Structures are given as structure tokens and as C-alpha cells.
Amino acid sequence: MAVEPLAFFTVDSGGASTAAALIGRVGGRFRLLASGAVPADVPVEMLLRDLAARVHAVEPELMPPTAWEQLTRLEGASRVPGRIVCAAGTPGRLADLERAVGAAGWEIVLGVLPGRPDTLALREALLDRRLDAVAIAAADPPRSDEREKLHPLAELIARTVSRRADVSVLLAGGAGEHAARFGDLHVTRAAAPEPLPATAETLLRRSAEELGRRGTQAAATGRQVPDVRAGFRDAITALAVLLDRPVEGVGIGWNAGTRALAGPEGLRASLTRSDGGLLPPASLGGDRRLDSVLRWSPLRGDTFTMRDRVRNLMLAPWRDASGDGARLRLAAARAALSRLELAWSGGDKGSPPGPPEVVIASGGAFAVAPPPVVALALVDTMRRPGSTAMFLDHARILGPIGTVLDGADRKRLLADLLEDALVPLGSAILATDLRPGRSAGTLRLRANGRRSELELTPGSIQLVDLPPGVAGTAELETREGVWLGVRARRFVLDVTGGLGGLLVDTREVPLRLPERTERRREVIDGWERPLWIGGEQ
Amino acid sequence: MTARRATTAVTRRYTAARPVRPGRPGRSDRVDPLRELVPLRRLAVPMPLCWFALGPADRPMVEAGQRIGRGDTLLERARDAHLAEVSVRAPVGTRMEPVRSPVEGAVEVIEPGAIGIRATGVGIAGVVMHGEPVHGRLLVLADAADAELRATAVDVQGAGAIVVAGAGLDIETVTRARATGIAGIVTGGIAGKDLATLAAADQRQRASLHPTTGFAVLVVDGYGRRPLPGLAWAWLRAAAGTDAGIVADPPMLVLDSEVDPPLVTYDVRIAAGDALGMEGRLLGAAGQRRSRSGLYGAVARVGIRSAGSHELTEHLVPFADLERFE
């Protein structure tokens, strides 16, 4: 049986690695035939040829030896976050601007107010060769005091960057009246920033995203290709419509992290953060960022040596993926998830609705850990009381598929590939406010015609065997009541199995790790070790 | 499969091929397509474009298209930049310090924030550079690419030179090098905490506004103890005694254009794990193997020759832990 003409590759060109998958139409539907990933420096053709060869080795009729060269590629790339200086006349306006621009994936190198920082420091930042853009914001129309404060600041910025053809300018709201100062520079006028959560899809954020997408290129080919993070967001939205339930997606790459929540009605919330990447560029210098990774690491070693290991991970994230290196990489992924969670929660600006019924993880950061440990990392950092089914986009195809322009084609592809593309990690029940006592509560699981019972222990995480493909019902019963978004003494929840089984988590929200380094390592190791299946202990 | 074949390392007898240049593996031509699976690292960069930052009160002293030699003044840096009313309020400085070019070449571009110099010669790329651009004669003090430089090996004979330190050196050696007038150090690796100590000392000196003596540390391979890649070691030894310059952007040692490209006799280098720094021939692929973390990945067969022996010992190494150079 030969592959019908509608066969293609998906290619996700990330900052550290390139993932590709061979999709073929077999038996009337699209199937994932092979997938793999290589470091970003390796030519993508080597990977594509290898995928085709693997399929040919198993089913020669399905993929003749040289047929792969003619196949279409559905390609997306993740750009290196651009560096931007943000300026406004008032602290509130600046905070609103930074929230929108930061959620669009920009790395904010400096926030500027009148008189802060000093003129020399500002000029130095504006002259930095690595700067890509400047954003200035004001209310629309600006109040007279705001206009008065912004006028000299905009003049100074314009005078300094106007000689730089390589810098783009984003003028939000009333700041647009300064457009003429910037001469021949590329100027984008956008809506004024609003006091909304970072996850809100505002007009300003969309403008900032479009500005950032200029020049997204695939590392391997240098061609202009769609933004794979936007594609991931669109794929999550399509999945939520397809499954008719809330779906949350989280993608951790080398350069940035993306999170999106969608429901049957469409996209509800999303953001992309440069500090949501596995190891943002700032990690090389500052010890604080390195230590935030080591907080999640169960590895033993003196602090200075471990910091150097994290720095080397930043320089070559595809190396040392076996043994201890994998655990260190997972610690970095947890730290990235935590930073993304902090931005997602929004502080005083409120948080998006949740919890989702389905969480899908994607990105090269999760490629070096067994699926059960990935499930644990999600539960450790994305803490919403309730029940969630978790999946892994192991072949990183959601991003490229999300770039398909036709919504109907996108849905059809996802419907066919759902089972092949998403590895079931399992389910998690996160129940808090469990009172310690002789019998804190009980969980009864009915699945596959069998019943099992588990005593609930406050402040713990317990693993119940629930294999992939098995669905069940979990009944929680407590004397004092438990919090799963609402408080009750008895809950009945539908759960699905996966490689990580069923995780019953009664630890606090947010998760508090011991302050003492050695105790913290013991605790994290205790959580991880049972799930690191197949590894040497 | 026999138990012997199932072991990780086996010893086979290979005769050494003729010396080969990087990129042309000779006897291992038959596995050329596999070499493409090994991440490529651009270590030797011909005629690199080197950038020198211009601060708000700094003054460029060159023009676009101008040819420059090592030691020529590129710009004057204001040690005490401040704002002054000079028709308009502008950054100025009164203590101007010349920044001299560490490379020969031509001024390719002058931007508001930087001067770009197209250097002649070859740049040996590093991963991080600390300090100010410097130049001097290249002095190889380390005994081998994987040897560490001790403080006792550093003395005033190295004054004005850029010394090659091997796999690493401690802060005591760095401090002694600086005190004896050494202009710069090239090392395979260095501890991050030692770089931080150096940075703190430099900051104190800059704050004092005393005249500064240029000093630079170029790290070629990473943090911690890391042997110099064989290709870098070969270039450095070939360039010993000639003038070289360390630049910050990109972090690089620029060698004189008269230095002959060295010959190397290996295909790939192991860049991570217990065998870090070993170099050898790519013999083939060993398929997908399970690692200590329980995950599967593509693994290569790499033949490594022991010191003083023609025999190659086979190592199984994940492709992702290898690197090849150009």
C-alpha cells in the first residue's frame, strides 16, 4: 500500500533543536509514520531522509527510497525573542505597556520613565547593537500632564535611535503623535495599553506580536517561515473546538515559553514570554536565574559546579541529555514552567479562567525526560485544584499544523492525528485543604473492571497505576471536606490512563519547597525517582 | 550477539590514515553522510567581523573604509561620561582613554553604537570573553590541550603576551597573570565564580577612574574544566610567537593572517559526558540506544586512539554529544 499523494513533513525549527515528522495518508486518514529531532545545527534534510528511511525499512511500498525529496514541508520556526526598550510617561502606563509587550514574546531590556534611568544609561541602552525595537506608550488621547512628561522623553529617544535603520518603533496610543520624529525608521502605530492581564488578547499585544514576527526564519534554511508558537496557540484552539472542552497548551522551547487556554468557543487566554524559555540568555550572567533552576534540581554537587553545569546547558542545550544531564534539564524546564505560571497568574491583574480538562505539553524541553516525569513537572508547576488529563506533543507537530491557514484543513488534520501525535501522560487530581488526621480521606478507583483504594495523605503525591487507553472513575471521600475548586466531602471524577498513571496530589498550592538545599533535593528526588522509569538509580 | 560485542568499548586494530584537514576525513569518507548528523561548530572563522561598542560620550577615531593595524586607536572612551550643556545637553567626557585595535583589518561600518572591523586572519571562536580587547604575542604555556595552567608557570616573561592556558586555571593563576603584565589568557574552560571575581575586581578599578591596563580572558569551550578542542590547540600552537588579538564581540582570538592552517587527524570530538575532550574517528552509527536516564537516542561509534598507540578503542557516544569543526 503506497502513501497517497497527500503526504508531507512537519518541521518545527526551534532555537536548540529541529523536530520533524512524516505524515502520510494511509487507509483514508492521516497517520504519523515517523518522527525525530536533531540539534539545530544539523541539516534538516538528514532528519527527513532518516524518517523516510525508517518508514521504508518497515514498509517499503509505503515510502520508496527517494520519494521523500518531493514531499511538501509544513514548516514553522520559533524566532529568537527580540530585545526592546519600553517607555511611558507614568509608572502605570509603563506597567501596562510592559505587560502587553512581554506577553508578545519580547525581551524587555529596559523600562523607561521620565528621569529614570538617567539619560546616559538610556542612551547606552538605545545604542546597544543588539536592540531590535523601542516602544513608547501614552493614553489615547494623552492627559496634559502625561503629554508634558512624555514629550522630552520621546524627543530624546527619537534623537538617539533615528540614526539606526535596524531599530523598529512601536508607538502605542497617544504616543503616535511623535511618529514624525522617527523619520525613515519603521514605525508601527498601535492601540493604547490597557490595564488587563498579560494573558488578554489586546490590540496592542497583537501589534507587538506582528512586529516581532517580522524576520522569523528557519535556522536551517534561512527562509521566512510562519511563527511556530502562534501555530501552537492556533492548534490548541482548534483542538478545544474539536474536543468540545477546555484545552490548555504549554510549550517550553530554548528561547521562549508559550501558554494558551482555549474552550469550545475559541481562544480564552494566551501569552508568550522570553523568560519562559528553558534557559533565557540572562542565565549566563546572573546567579539568581541559575539558582532558580537549581532549586528544582535533585542533583548533588557544590553550588558553583552546578551553576557552571547550567551555564553549559545554556551554551549547548542538546548535549548531555543522558543520566544526570536529563535531570538537570528537567529542573530547567520546571523553572521555566514556574516563570510562565507567574506571568499567567497575573498578580493583581487577576488570572485566566480554569482549570482546563486537558493539558498538552510541547517543546524540546520535554524531550529528555520519560513521560511520567513530564506529567509530574506539569503538576508541580501548573497548580489548579481539580482533575486534568495530560498529554505530550512528542513529535512537536501541533505548532506546524497550527500554521495551516484553512481552519477546516487544520481541524481535519488534528482529528486524524490526535491519537498518533499526543502521548497520554495520564491524569492528575489536585486536592488541597486536606486536614491531617487518622484518616484524611480515601480515593477509590474503578477502572478496567477492577477497584482499588488509596488512603489520602495530606501534603503528598501518590501514583496509582492507570495504563494508557484505560478510562476510569475516581471517587474522593473525606470527613472534613476537600478543595477541588469547590469544597465538598465527596467527589466523583472521570480519569484517563497514561504512561504516568494517575497522580493524586494533596500538596499545597502554590507548592512550597524546603529552604534547606539538602532537604529540598531529598524531597524532589523522592517525588521524581519512582517516575523516572528505566533510568539507572 | 555475543557478550563481547555487547560491551560498550571494544579494541580493534586500525592503521592510522594519512593526516587529514578538518572536513575531509580520508578513510572515513564512507561514513560521510553520518558526519552531517554531528552538530557543526564553527571554530575557525576566516576574516571575522569584530565589533567595538561606542558609548554615548565615546568618540570614533576612524572612518569607514580605513585600514587599521594592531595598536591603532579605534575610539576614545570616556571614563567619566556625564551630561553637559554644549549648545544642547549632550553626553561628554573629560577623561578620554584610547581603545586600540587588537586586530589588523579594515573599518567596514561605523554605527551609532559600534564600530565594525573586518579583521584579516582567522578568528578562533570562544563562548565568552571577559575584559577589554587586547593584543600581544601568543605564548603557549600549557603542556597540552587538557592540562591546567598553574600559577608557578606564570612569570614576568609573559608580560605583554596572550598566554594559552589549556583546560583551565584558577583565580590565583589569573591574578598572578594579571600582576605580571600578561595581556590576556585563552583557556578551554574557567569556573563561573572565578569570572565573577574578576569582574568584581575590574568594576572596582573602573570606579576608581585610575588608568586601566587592558586584560582579557577568552573562554573557548565552556564553564568549568574543559580541554581545548584539538583544532583550537593546533591553531594556537601553529600561531605561537605571532601577534594575536582578543575581541569581545564576538568572543574570539584573532590570529595573524600569516599563520598556516594546521592539520588535524580526527573527525569528531566528544563534547559532553565522562569522555569530554576526546577526539577520534566517526566509525558509524550504532542505532538507537537506551541511555542512563532511560531514554532512547541515536548513538555513534567513535574510534579513539590511546596516547602512543595506533590502536583505536571504540566508544559509543550519543550523536548529540559529539561535535565537528570547520
Side-chain angles (χ1 to χ4, degrees), chain A residues 347-393:
Chain A
D348 62 347
K349 291 296 172 211
S351 55
E357 295 181 27
V358 173
V359 169
I360 298 173
S362 184
F366 301 116
V368 295
V373 188
V374 173
L376 178 63
L378 295 174
V379 167
D380 283 347
T381 51
M382 298 168 64
R383 300 189 67 67
R384 303 270 190 274
S387 169
T388 309
M390 297 173 289
F391 297 86
L392 178 65
D393 173 23

Side-chain angles (χ1 to χ4, degrees), chain A residues 120, chain B residues 55-59 76-84 86 90-97 209:
Chain A
L120 280 176
Chain B
D58 295 348
R59 289 199 290 261
E76 287 192 330
R77 177 149 296 145
R79 294 287 309 280
D80 63 337
H82 56 277
L83 291 175
V86 183
V92 296
T94 55
R95 294 179 191 235
M96 305 303 286
E97 195 174 67
L209 294 184

Side-chain angles (χ1 to χ4, degrees), chain A residues 100-160:
Chain A
V101 168
W106 287 88
E107 182 189 348
I108 299 170
V109 297
L110 190 64
V112 183
L113 291 167
R116 197 195 81 193
D118 64 63
T119 305
L120 280 176
L122 173 57
R123 282 187 191 234
E124 202 157 319
L126 293 173
L127 291 176
D128 190 329
R129 207 168 62 80
R130 297 164 299 168
L131 185 71
D132 297 295
V134 166
I136 309 176
D140 194 6
R143 297 194 311 267
S144 58
D145 60 328
E146 188 180 11
R147 180 180 273 127
E148 207 175 289
K149 286 176 188 170
L150 192 60
H151 182 92
L153 186 56
E155 192 180 328
L156 171 61
I157 292 173
R159 205 165 356 109
T160 309

Side-chain angles (χ1 to χ4, degrees), chain A residues 64 104 112 117 130 169 252 299 303 360 367 407 426 461 483 513 524:
Chain A
V112 183
R130 297 164 299 168
V169 180
I252 303 291
L299 301 177
T303 303
I360 298 173
I461 183 157
W483 177 257
L513 299 173
I524 294 172

Side-chain angles (χ1 to χ4, degrees), chain B residues 178-200:
Chain B
R178 192 169 196 173
T180 55
I182 283 173
I185 297 173
V186 177
T187 177
I190 195 169
K193 70 176 170 64
D194 290 343
L195 271 186
T197 304
L198 201 57

Side-chain angles (χ1 to χ4, degrees), chain A residues 429-486:
Chain A
I429 297 174
L430 204 162
T432 63
D433 279 5
L434 214 58
R435 306 257 168 87
R438 213 155 34 109
S439 174
T442 309
L443 181 138
R444 293 185 193 88
L445 178 67
R446 285 192 188 82
N448 236 6
R450 294 195 303 200
R451 292 177 57 167
S452 55
E453 201 166 289
L454 180 76
E455 284 299 313
L456 294 176
T457 310
S460 73
I461 183 157
Q462 295 168 278
L463 175 62
V464 181
D465 185 34
L466 192 64
V470 175
T473 306
E475 187 182 313
L476 268 83
E477 199 160 338
T478 63
R479 193 188 303 276
E480 304 288 341
V482 67
W483 177 257
L484 257 79
V486 293

